[in-house]
Structures are given as structure tokens and as C-alpha cells.
Amino acid sequence: MKWYLHALKNYATFQGRATRKEYWMFVLFNFIIWCLLSAIELITDMPPFLRIVYLVAVFIPSLAVTARRLHDIGRSGWWQLISIIPIAGAICLLILLCLRSESQLNRFDVPNKVA
């Protein structure tokens, strides 16, 4: 849960890096919440209002954590756009998101500010 909240706290931070664990825990909790909202809507016979509100609420944080995950493997956040290509693009992005982090510093590391 702390990784999900960490990603939400950095909801619009497109700089820096996100580890595999941070990214996939965010995805897991999004999936769990989505399933719970779907169950609530199904049980109460509601239109998909709750899911749409949730989707809008986590849209920017999802883009940001994905961009930071791509930075962690040395790619630009713009690589998210590859998912526009049907099937092959989504598979390519999935493979990129599963790759190991770069162990050394890369061009996306945020320098520490000395106070």
C-alpha cells in the first residue's frame, strides 16, 4: 500500500525514477480498486460512474509513474506512446516495464539538492 500512496503523492512528478516494485504495486492496487468498484456497481446496479471518476482521478498519476518507470530503464517517458500501436505496441511497452533497473546513474536521475 505504501508504494501506491507514494505514487499518488508524486502524482504529477514526471522527473526521476520509479523502481519495478513501485510501478507494479501501483498497478496491482489500481486493479484491486477497479475490481472493488466494479463489484459495487454490479451489486447496486449502478452505471459505471464510480469507475469513471476513479479512472479520471488516477490518469495523471498513472502517466507519471509509468514515465518514471521508463526513466529507470534509461528510456524517455514518451515511450508510453508506443502503446498506441495496436497489440504490438502494448506488448513492447509491457516488456519495457518489466526490464531491470539501470544500476548506474542515468540522464533521468534527479540531482540531490544540498541545503
Side-chain angles (χ1 to χ4, degrees):
M1 183 67 150
K2 79 174 188 177
W3 294 110
Y4 179 76
L5 295 175
H6 183 263
L8 288 181
K9 286 178 187 174
N10 295 320
Y11 74 97
T13 304
F14 288 84
Q15 297 174 351
R17 296 166 73 164
T19 62
R20 268 193 300 192
K21 185 173 187 174
E22 178 183 351
Y23 176 78
W24 287 110
M25 292 304 271
F26 180 77
V27 170
L28 174 66
F29 276 96
N30 268 340
F31 179 73
I32 291 169
I33 292 169
W34 184 267
C35 289
L36 290 173
L37 292 176
S38 296
I40 290 169
E41 290 172 350
L42 183 66
I43 291 169
T44 60
D45 202 26
M46 289 176 64
F49 176 73
L50 295 175
R51 286 182 293 170
I52 291 171
V53 169
Y54 181 72
L55 180 68
V56 169
V58 297
F59 180 70
I60 299 295
S62 296
L63 290 177
V65 75
T66 304
R68 291 193 313 271
R69 176 69 198 121
L70 289 167
H71 291 171
D72 196 41
I73 62 168
R75 306 275 181 179
S76 168
W78 289 102
W79 272 88
Q80 293 180 70
L81 294 176
I82 199 168
S83 63
I84 293 172
I85 302 169
I87 302 171
I91 292 170
C92 182
L93 183 61
L94 179 64
I95 291 169
L96 289 174
L97 294 171
C98 291
L99 292 176
R100 273 198 176 149
S101 303
E102 286 188 340
S103 57
Q104 69 277 7
L105 295 177
N106 66 23
R107 63 189 172 123
F108 298 106
D109 284 311
V110 178
N112 292 334
K113 294 182 180 178
V114 178

